Amino acid sequence: MSNLEINDSFSQKRPVLTVVIIEVLLLLAVFAAGAYATINELSYTSPVLISFIPIALVLIVYFTWKKKWTTLGFRKLSSIPAAGWVYYSPLLLILVVISLKGMREIGVSEILFFIFFTLLVGFVEESIYRGLILKTLLSKGVKTAVITSSILFAITHVLNVLSGQDAFQTVLQIVYALLIGAVLALLMVKNNNIIPLILFHFLHNFIQFVGNDNSDAFIGYDLFILLVLALYCIWLSFSLKKPRVSAQVDHAI
């Protein structure tokens, strides 16, 4: 039990239904934005901008109105115990590996756009999957919350099947998203701080967007990262079985 009282809210009485509603609304927003962008022949980033900007505004209003910022993990980095920082070290390794492909020629205006774009995605996706969905499902147990939130996170990446990429790349991306989702969910349970997760999500996506488009040449690096993520999940899972002195994860949303 957390140091905050859990309210007898709809999300507590029907956590599964709450998560289904959140996921369906998100997918509907993305699909609608994608349809609009396709009809009007807009850029490939338009669906995310069209759907995520309103979602981000709604989240900000909701978190402020319900005073949920702290409950959902928006805490000072100093709240993470000194011993807890070691669990983020593999994230740095992943960022280093994906940055090895180098950076393509890109202008300042495009860099600024991708900074905004990837921060937007990082904030929205972490707030929804490692914030709202994970916290709602914790009443069903940590294992259920981590696995379900990770699967739902990966499902959103199934949309890439429609982008024309080959089946292997699509499967690789889904597995990658599933493992990344599991790692970030476990870190959220471990340290109850969403800020490092948003920062990683932002940096990871930013490096991918500004990097060279030579994914075939870096397939070996992708497989290496998958191995790192799988081992990372095992490490974090075992670490959760140890007694913790850090702040516990609050359940209420």
Side-chain angles (χ1 to χ4, degrees), residues 21-32:
I21 292 173
I22 293 172
E23 180 70 8
V24 168
L25 289 176
L26 176 62
L27 291 177
L28 285 175
V30 173
F31 270 120

mmCIF file with all atom_site columns, all heavy atoms in Angstrom, residues 21-32:
data_model
loop_
_atom_site.group_PDB
_atom_site.id
_atom_site.type_symbol
_atom_site.label_atom_id
_atom_site.label_alt_id
_atom_site.label_comp_id
_atom_site.label_asym_id
_atom_site.label_entity_id
_atom_site.label_seq_id
_atom_site.pdbx_PDB_ins_code
_atom_site.Cartn_x
_atom_site.Cartn_y
_atom_site.Cartn_z
_atom_site.occupancy
_atom_site.B_iso_or_equiv
_atom_site.pdbx_formal_charge
_atom_site.auth_seq_id
_atom_site.auth_comp_id
_atom_site.auth_asym_id
_atom_site.auth_atom_id
_atom_site.pdbx_PDB_model_num
ATOM 1  N N   . ILE A 1 21 ? -10.236 1.053  -22.510 1.00 0.00 ? 21 ILE A N   1
ATOM 2  C CA  . ILE A 1 21 ? -10.738 2.350  -22.986 1.00 0.00 ? 21 ILE A CA  1
ATOM 3  C C   . ILE A 1 21 ? -9.586  3.261  -23.393 1.00 0.00 ? 21 ILE A C   1
ATOM 4  O O   . ILE A 1 21 ? -9.619  3.896  -24.458 1.00 0.00 ? 21 ILE A O   1
ATOM 5  C CB  . ILE A 1 21 ? -11.604 3.027  -21.901 1.00 0.00 ? 21 ILE A CB  1
ATOM 6  C CG1 . ILE A 1 21 ? -12.901 2.243  -21.696 1.00 0.00 ? 21 ILE A CG1 1
ATOM 7  C CG2 . ILE A 1 21 ? -11.913 4.475  -22.290 1.00 0.00 ? 21 ILE A CG2 1
ATOM 8  C CD1 . ILE A 1 21 ? -13.735 2.745  -20.530 1.00 0.00 ? 21 ILE A CD1 1
ATOM 9  N N   . ILE A 1 22 ? -8.541  3.318  -22.566 1.00 0.00 ? 22 ILE A N   1
ATOM 10 C CA  . ILE A 1 22 ? -7.385  4.167  -22.863 1.00 0.00 ? 22 ILE A CA  1
ATOM 11 C C   . ILE A 1 22 ? -6.725  3.747  -24.172 1.00 0.00 ? 22 ILE A C   1
ATOM 12 O O   . ILE A 1 22 ? -6.434  4.567  -25.043 1.00 0.00 ? 22 ILE A O   1
ATOM 13 C CB  . ILE A 1 22 ? -6.359  4.119  -21.712 1.00 0.00 ? 22 ILE A CB  1
ATOM 14 C CG1 . ILE A 1 22 ? -6.939  4.773  -20.447 1.00 0.00 ? 22 ILE A CG1 1
ATOM 15 C CG2 . ILE A 1 22 ? -5.058  4.821  -22.115 1.00 0.00 ? 22 ILE A CG2 1
ATOM 16 C CD1 . ILE A 1 22 ? -6.065  4.600  -19.219 1.00 0.00 ? 22 ILE A CD1 1
ATOM 17 N N   . GLU A 1 23 ? -6.497  2.436  -24.331 1.00 0.00 ? 23 GLU A N   1
ATOM 18 C CA  . GLU A 1 23 ? -5.824  1.929  -25.527 1.00 0.00 ? 23 GLU A CA  1
ATOM 19 C C   . GLU A 1 23 ? -6.678  2.142  -26.782 1.00 0.00 ? 23 GLU A C   1
ATOM 20 O O   . GLU A 1 23 ? -6.157  2.556  -27.824 1.00 0.00 ? 23 GLU A O   1
ATOM 21 C CB  . GLU A 1 23 ? -5.514  0.435  -25.353 1.00 0.00 ? 23 GLU A CB  1
ATOM 22 C CG  . GLU A 1 23 ? -4.818  -0.207 -26.539 1.00 0.00 ? 23 GLU A CG  1
ATOM 23 C CD  . GLU A 1 23 ? -3.388  0.254  -26.730 1.00 0.00 ? 23 GLU A CD  1
ATOM 24 O OE1 . GLU A 1 23 ? -2.857  0.974  -25.851 1.00 0.00 ? 23 GLU A OE1 1
ATOM 25 O OE2 . GLU A 1 23 ? -2.778  -0.121 -27.761 1.00 0.00 ? 23 GLU A OE2 1
ATOM 26 N N   . VAL A 1 24 ? -7.972  1.872  -26.681 1.00 0.00 ? 24 VAL A N   1
ATOM 27 C CA  . VAL A 1 24 ? -8.848  2.033  -27.844 1.00 0.00 ? 24 VAL A CA  1
ATOM 28 C C   . VAL A 1 24 ? -8.918  3.499  -28.268 1.00 0.00 ? 24 VAL A C   1
ATOM 29 O O   . VAL A 1 24 ? -8.849  3.815  -29.462 1.00 0.00 ? 24 VAL A O   1
ATOM 30 C CB  . VAL A 1 24 ? -10.266 1.497  -27.544 1.00 0.00 ? 24 VAL A CB  1
ATOM 31 C CG1 . VAL A 1 24 ? -11.257 1.915  -28.634 1.00 0.00 ? 24 VAL A CG1 1
ATOM 32 C CG2 . VAL A 1 24 ? -10.240 -0.019 -27.417 1.00 0.00 ? 24 VAL A CG2 1
ATOM 33 N N   . LEU A 1 25 ? -9.033  4.393  -27.306 1.00 0.00 ? 25 LEU A N   1
ATOM 34 C CA  . LEU A 1 25 ? -9.090  5.822  -27.631 1.00 0.00 ? 25 LEU A CA  1
ATOM 35 C C   . LEU A 1 25 ? -7.794  6.277  -28.304 1.00 0.00 ? 25 LEU A C   1
ATOM 36 O O   . LEU A 1 25 ? -7.823  7.067  -29.256 1.00 0.00 ? 25 LEU A O   1
ATOM 37 C CB  . LEU A 1 25 ? -9.355  6.641  -26.374 1.00 0.00 ? 25 LEU A CB  1
ATOM 38 C CG  . LEU A 1 25 ? -10.763 6.549  -25.775 1.00 0.00 ? 25 LEU A CG  1
ATOM 39 C CD1 . LEU A 1 25 ? -10.849 7.340  -24.474 1.00 0.00 ? 25 LEU A CD1 1
ATOM 40 C CD2 . LEU A 1 25 ? -11.797 7.051  -26.768 1.00 0.00 ? 25 LEU A CD2 1
ATOM 41 N N   . LEU A 1 26 ? -6.667  5.780  -27.806 1.00 0.00 ? 26 LEU A N   1
ATOM 42 C CA  . LEU A 1 26 ? -5.383  6.149  -28.403 1.00 0.00 ? 26 LEU A CA  1
ATOM 43 C C   . LEU A 1 26 ? -5.287  5.647  -29.845 1.00 0.00 ? 26 LEU A C   1
ATOM 44 O O   . LEU A 1 26 ? -4.899  6.400  -30.750 1.00 0.00 ? 26 LEU A O   1
ATOM 45 C CB  . LEU A 1 26 ? -4.240  5.580  -27.571 1.00 0.00 ? 26 LEU A CB  1
ATOM 46 C CG  . LEU A 1 26 ? -2.824  5.797  -28.127 1.00 0.00 ? 26 LEU A CG  1
ATOM 47 C CD1 . LEU A 1 26 ? -2.504  7.282  -28.219 1.00 0.00 ? 26 LEU A CD1 1
ATOM 48 C CD2 . LEU A 1 26 ? -1.785  5.078  -27.275 1.00 0.00 ? 26 LEU A CD2 1
ATOM 49 N N   . LEU A 1 27 ? -5.646  4.374  -30.058 1.00 0.00 ? 27 LEU A N   1
ATOM 50 C CA  . LEU A 1 27 ? -5.569  3.806  -31.397 1.00 0.00 ? 27 LEU A CA  1
ATOM 51 C C   . LEU A 1 27 ? -6.530  4.493  -32.358 1.00 0.00 ? 27 LEU A C   1
ATOM 52 O O   . LEU A 1 27 ? -6.185  4.738  -33.526 1.00 0.00 ? 27 LEU A O   1
ATOM 53 C CB  . LEU A 1 27 ? -5.867  2.303  -31.353 1.00 0.00 ? 27 LEU A CB  1
ATOM 54 C CG  . LEU A 1 27 ? -4.801  1.430  -30.672 1.00 0.00 ? 27 LEU A CG  1
ATOM 55 C CD1 . LEU A 1 27 ? -5.249  -0.024 -30.637 1.00 0.00 ? 27 LEU A CD1 1
ATOM 56 C CD2 . LEU A 1 27 ? -3.453  1.559  -31.359 1.00 0.00 ? 27 LEU A CD2 1
ATOM 57 N N   . LEU A 1 28 ? -7.719  4.830  -31.876 1.00 0.00 ? 28 LEU A N   1
ATOM 58 C CA  . LEU A 1 28 ? -8.681  5.539  -32.719 1.00 0.00 ? 28 LEU A CA  1
ATOM 59 C C   . LEU A 1 28 ? -8.139  6.903  -33.133 1.00 0.00 ? 28 LEU A C   1
ATOM 60 O O   . LEU A 1 28 ? -8.293  7.324  -34.287 1.00 0.00 ? 28 LEU A O   1
ATOM 61 C CB  . LEU A 1 28 ? -10.018 5.694  -31.988 1.00 0.00 ? 28 LEU A CB  1
ATOM 62 C CG  . LEU A 1 28 ? -10.887 4.441  -31.877 1.00 0.00 ? 28 LEU A CG  1
ATOM 63 C CD1 . LEU A 1 28 ? -12.129 4.733  -31.025 1.00 0.00 ? 28 LEU A CD1 1
ATOM 64 C CD2 . LEU A 1 28 ? -11.297 3.943  -33.264 1.00 0.00 ? 28 LEU A CD2 1
ATOM 65 N N   . ALA A 1 29 ? -7.500  7.580  -32.178 1.00 0.00 ? 29 ALA A N   1
ATOM 66 C CA  . ALA A 1 29 ? -6.936  8.901  -32.472 1.00 0.00 ? 29 ALA A CA  1
ATOM 67 C C   . ALA A 1 29 ? -5.826  8.795  -33.519 1.00 0.00 ? 29 ALA A C   1
ATOM 68 O O   . ALA A 1 29 ? -5.762  9.592  -34.459 1.00 0.00 ? 29 ALA A O   1
ATOM 69 C CB  . ALA A 1 29 ? -6.395  9.536  -31.192 1.00 0.00 ? 29 ALA A CB  1
ATOM 70 N N   . VAL A 1 30 ? -4.970  7.782  -33.378 1.00 0.00 ? 30 VAL A N   1
ATOM 71 C CA  . VAL A 1 30 ? -3.867  7.600  -34.319 1.00 0.00 ? 30 VAL A CA  1
ATOM 72 C C   . VAL A 1 30 ? -4.391  7.197  -35.701 1.00 0.00 ? 30 VAL A C   1
ATOM 73 O O   . VAL A 1 30 ? -3.934  7.706  -36.730 1.00 0.00 ? 30 VAL A O   1
ATOM 74 C CB  . VAL A 1 30 ? -2.875  6.542  -33.792 1.00 0.00 ? 30 VAL A CB  1
ATOM 75 C CG1 . VAL A 1 30 ? -1.817  6.222  -34.843 1.00 0.00 ? 30 VAL A CG1 1
ATOM 76 C CG2 . VAL A 1 30 ? -2.212  7.040  -32.513 1.00 0.00 ? 30 VAL A CG2 1
ATOM 77 N N   . PHE A 1 31 ? -5.372  6.284  -35.730 1.00 0.00 ? 31 PHE A N   1
ATOM 78 C CA  . PHE A 1 31 ? -5.952  5.856  -37.012 1.00 0.00 ? 31 PHE A CA  1
ATOM 79 C C   . PHE A 1 31 ? -6.634  7.017  -37.720 1.00 0.00 ? 31 PHE A C   1
ATOM 80 O O   . PHE A 1 31 ? -6.485  7.204  -38.939 1.00 0.00 ? 31 PHE A O   1
ATOM 81 C CB  . PHE A 1 31 ? -6.962  4.729  -36.783 1.00 0.00 ? 31 PHE A CB  1
ATOM 82 C CG  . PHE A 1 31 ? -6.359  3.360  -36.826 1.00 0.00 ? 31 PHE A CG  1
ATOM 83 C CD1 . PHE A 1 31 ? -6.426  2.527  -35.719 1.00 0.00 ? 31 PHE A CD1 1
ATOM 84 C CD2 . PHE A 1 31 ? -5.724  2.887  -37.969 1.00 0.00 ? 31 PHE A CD2 1
ATOM 85 C CE1 . PHE A 1 31 ? -5.865  1.257  -35.749 1.00 0.00 ? 31 PHE A CE1 1
ATOM 86 C CE2 . PHE A 1 31 ? -5.163  1.620  -38.012 1.00 0.00 ? 31 PHE A CE2 1
ATOM 87 C CZ  . PHE A 1 31 ? -5.235  0.800  -36.893 1.00 0.00 ? 31 PHE A CZ  1
ATOM 88 N N   . ALA A 1 32 ? -7.406  7.798  -36.974 1.00 0.00 ? 32 ALA A N   1
ATOM 89 C CA  . ALA A 1 32 ? -8.108  8.935  -37.575 1.00 0.00 ? 32 ALA A CA  1
ATOM 90 C C   . ALA A 1 32 ? -7.112  9.948  -38.117 1.00 0.00 ? 32 ALA A C   1
ATOM 91 O O   . ALA A 1 32 ? -7.286  10.473 -39.230 1.00 0.00 ? 32 ALA A O   1
ATOM 92 C CB  . ALA A 1 32 ? -9.026  9.582  -36.541 1.00 0.00 ? 32 ALA A CB  1
#
